[in-house]
Amino acid sequence: MGKLFLGLDSSTQSLSAVVIDLDANKVIYEKSLNFDQALPEFKTKNGVLPNRDPLVKHSSPLLWAAALDLLFAQMKKDKVALNKILAISGSGQQHGSVYFTEKAAETLASLDPKKSLVENLDGVFSRKTAPIWMDSSTAKECAEIRKKLGGIKFTASRTGSDTFERFTGPQIRKFYKTEPKNFDKTAGIALVSSFMASLLAGKIAPIDFGDGAGMNLMDIRRKNWNHDALKATAPGLVKKLPPLAESGRVIGPVSAYFVHKYGLNPEALATVWTGDNPASVIGLGLVKPGQVAISLGTSDTFFGTMEKCQTDENGEGHVFGSPTGGYMTLICFKNGSLAREKIRELYKISDWKKFGELVASMPPGNNGAILLPWFEAEIVPRVNKPGIRRFDLDEKNAAANARAIFEAQMLSMRLHSQWMQVAPEKILATGGAANDRTLLQVLADVMNCPVLRIEVSKSAALGAALQAAHGWLVAADKNPKWEKLVAGFTAPVPGSEIRPDKKNAKLYDKLVEKYAACENDALDSL
Ligand code: XUL
């Protein structure tokens, strides 16, 4: 058995574990625990507590703690060699926040293994529930903070993103405004990631530069707390926030609680956690600047890595710190596979194979036809009034409309990732639509870049395990190289590379201009 590392991912609906054997380049254990099923007493639905207000989405920190106990008990039962694990890291759903009373530090330092974590944590929260990333009840607070910081462009250039309802700063401001007494009782604020790390380390853990960038509170360039942003959010915040640190950094040995209860090695190291998206960047193997992954799922997500910090002055994309030290960007297009499905429904296209065949039956560039794919309100660009729009496109032509929706989505990705000023050298594609070579060829031609398919399950937990390995190697003065670390775990599917066709790429250079003009036209009329 080689060197073992544990990665945990505390996501919206589940807590997952991945154990890697670093010397064998192998994942040796994977497990997921679904919150609703495993812990029904918390009464969550898809990991969220019921609330009368549809904009309010909270979960329970105690649920996450209970899940940690359950998952360790399960690993022990499954005979995972817990005593051989050298370091643990993790990732959490981004933006969610946990509010501690003064008692927290002392309680964390003396967790009693005869009790459960839930019993131990009695009295440590100044707010019973935790707002999570699905919450969109803070539009007012977003506007207030944005205004104090000087508008969209300045907010984005200072904190990495414009203010967003789900971001932690606006959520903290709402708590301060609506529950001032409980805000006063709050001695510390954690993110989901730093809360979970705190349990494992038995002390208040730092917030990392990846997840910290999802708060509208961190100076994205200096990677410290931005005092203007803190002031615009709530009074006295600087005393309530933990220090910032790079993810994977060793906090100390794991809490004796886990040693006595589950048989972890007393020398196993607890490290700083990060957000699930930064961890996924590692789990997908994006460790060099200029590497890009595109996930063609329910929504289409563009992940990129950058060495220098570039922010989006339109405030559509996010910049987070990357666990490898530079920066990463996340751009989320809501009208992804659901919009492709809508076209299938509209034109009665029986399955995805047929959809791909119809796309292939039309020439690249679709004879200049453009479709704006906003079946649903869109995040990028911001479109609150949904509705698709056609330009030089015959509504009756099923093949032209199938090609148009996918070309539109890829053109939009190209257009709205230009602010990064990074020309990708290769793109890794995941998700359902990545199984179709015709669609991947469109992607390669529009981006003028080779595309490779990658298949990884639990990319965040895998990224967290690799981050634990990296942190342990750094602490042991072994000077680890990220590229070498991820290589054995994140290889693209052999033979999946698709190279761009130079002639088509030129054609799309022109078409993206037309797409941008159509988009401006439509946005002006909204
Ligand atoms: C990112 C975001 C989500 C959550 C999901 O900004 O809100 O991707 O991180 O867990």
Side-chain angles (χ1 to χ4, degrees):
M1 198 183 292
K3 295 187 208 64
L4 302 191
F5 297 95
L6 168 62
L8 297 166
D9 175 39
S10 184
S11 78
T12 317
Q13 303 196 36
S14 57
L15 178 67
S16 304
V18 162
V19 179
I20 57 168
D21 178 332
L22 192 67
D23 301 310
N25 278 336
K26 249 173 91 173
V27 170
I28 59 163
Y29 179 80
E30 272 187 57
K31 192 65 123 217
S32 253
L33 195 142
N34 178 284
F35 296 143
D36 299 0
Q37 283 161 18
L39 293 154
E41 63 272 29
F42 285 91
K43 300 192 167 49
T44 52
K45 197 160 171 229
N46 300 324
V48 185
L49 293 167
N51 197 295
R52 253 176 281 132
D53 183 342
L55 298 181
V56 172
K57 305 281 180 204
H58 284 210
S59 188
S60 160
L62 285 177
L63 161 68
W64 301 326
L68 192 63
D69 259 338
L70 264 189
L71 190 59
F72 268 103
Q74 184 66 46
M75 288 193 274
K76 192 171 169 188
K77 204 167 132 206
D78 292 344
K79 307 224 164 8
V80 176
L82 289 171
N83 60 337
K84 294 273 177 339
I85 285 169
L86 296 173
I88 304 172
S89 198
S91 63
Q93 51 173 316
Q94 292 200 249
H95 319 295
S97 44
V98 175
Y99 299 76
F100 288 133
T101 59
E102 244 171 28
K103 213 183 137 195
E106 201 191 304
T107 304
L108 286 168
S110 53
L111 295 171
D112 177 357
K114 288 194 233 47
K115 295 183 186 163
S116 68
L117 280 175
V118 168
E119 287 161 341
N120 269 292
L121 294 177
D122 189 33
V124 310
F125 301 112
S126 55
R127 190 181 195 180
K128 279 209 181 73
T129 59
I132 62 162
W133 68 279
M134 297 167 84
D135 189 288
S136 44
S137 65
T138 63
K140 222 166 142 203
E141 289 74 18
C142 283
E144 289 163 356
I145 296 170
R146 181 190 296 127
K147 190 164 171 224
K148 284 204 194 134
L149 291 181
I152 293 180
K153 187 175 160 187
F154 285 107
T155 307
S157 77
R158 283 170 169 198
T159 72
S161 299
D162 181 21
T163 49
F164 281 86
E165 280 85 343
R166 67 191 192 282
F167 274 46
T168 324
Q171 291 290 344
I172 293 174
R173 181 162 179 79
K174 180 181 166 197
F175 181 52
Y176 153 70
K177 281 168 52 186
T178 55
E179 297 182 51
K181 284 215 179 95
N182 290 335
F183 182 78
D184 275 349
K185 270 194 237 149
T186 302
I189 299 176
L191 293 180
V192 179
S193 57
S194 72
F195 168 62
M196 296 299 277
S198 303
L199 295 178
L200 278 165
K203 54 169 108 152
I204 305 269
I207 285 177
D208 88 298
F209 305 135
D211 224 6
M215 302 175 80
N216 286 135
L217 293 174
M218 189 185 95
D219 187 309
I220 193 70
R221 289 181 173 81
R222 297 200 181 99
K223 296 187 174 170
N224 54 17
W225 297 121
N226 180 298
H227 285 275
D228 290 339
L230 300 192
K231 230 169 80 195
T233 301
L237 212 45
V238 72
K239 287 204 218 89
K240 301 187 198 294
L241 292 168
L244 288 156
E246 65 270 23
S247 55
R249 200 188 76 187
V250 172
I251 308 172
V254 286
S255 156
Y257 176 90
F258 296 91
V259 176
H260 293 129
K261 199 158 184 162
Y262 303 111
L264 272 179
N265 188 323
E267 282 170 24
L269 299 176
T271 70
V272 176
W273 286 35
T274 188
D276 53 359
N277 294 299
S280 283
V281 156
I282 300 297
L284 291 166
L286 306 182
V287 297
K288 272 196 347 198
Q291 288 183 329
V292 165
I294 290 177
S295 161
L296 300 168
T298 311
S299 54
D300 291 340
T301 312
F302 182 103
F303 290 105
T305 51
M306 305 185 271
E307 195 167 286
K308 282 209 205 99
C309 178
Q310 288 288 345
T311 51
D312 179 8
E313 56 180 61
N314 295 319
E316 294 168 345
H318 307 307
V319 179
F320 303 139
S322 161
T324 57
Y327 291 93
M328 64 163 287
T329 182
L330 177 89
I331 316 174
C332 186
F333 302 84
K334 204 166 171 191
N335 284 279
S337 92
L338 286 181
R340 296 187 278 280
E341 242 165 78
K342 277 268 162 41
I343 289 283
R344 260 187 56 193
E345 260 168 49
L346 270 176
Y347 293 96
K348 307 203 169 30
I349 304 169
S350 53
D351 53 27
W352 288 114
K353 189 165 168 276
K354 183 85 191 135
F355 180 86
E357 283 164 15
L358 286 175
V359 172
S361 73
M362 295 302 288
N366 214 4
N367 302 318
I370 297 282
L371 181 147
L372 300 179
W374 308 323
F375 281 100
E376 303 254 352
E378 181 52 78
I379 301 174
V380 179
R382 285 175 204 231
V383 178
N384 295 326
K385 256 199 235 149
I388 60 165
R389 287 151 185 87
R390 297 182 175 83
F391 300 81
D392 302 325
L393 172 63
D394 177 3
E395 194 178 339
K396 296 199 199 73
N397 185 338
N401 279 271
R403 177 131 203 142
I405 185 90
F406 198 69
E407 282 192 346
Q409 292 171 323
M410 299 304 104
L411 287 165
S412 177
M413 263 193 196
R414 172 167 161 175
L415 184 66
H416 294 285
S417 58
Q418 266 165 7
W419 59 269
M420 285 175 63
Q421 297 180 23
V422 178
E425 40 179 81
K426 65 175 180 190
I427 293 174
L428 300 170
T430 68
N435 292 320
D436 188 309
R437 288 185 74 87
T438 306
L439 300 185
L440 289 191
Q441 185 69 57
V442 176
L443 170 58
D445 291 349
V446 171
M447 295 289 186
N448 193 9
C449 176
V451 172
L452 295 103
R453 192 156 64 82
I454 185 161
E455 275 168 3
V456 264
S457 69
K458 301 199 175 63
S459 59
L462 171 62
L466 288 163
Q467 180 169 272
H470 190 267
W472 184 86
L473 290 166
V474 169
D477 271 336
K478 299 252 197 282
N479 193 20
K481 296 274 173 283
W482 273 110
E483 255 182 276
K484 196 165 158 245
L485 263 186
V486 301
F489 293 91
T490 56
V493 177
S496 68
E497 177 164 350
I498 292 187
R499 302 199 68 81
D501 176 302
K502 293 288 162 206
K503 210 170 89 229
N504 295 345
K506 276 222 174 79
L507 193 146
Y508 286 119
D509 284 345
K510 282 261 166 307
L511 203 62
V512 76
E513 285 170 24
K514 178 167 179 186
Y515 185 85
C518 294
E519 195 182 273
N520 281 337
D521 194 57
L523 293 174
D524 281 350
S525 67
L526 281 177

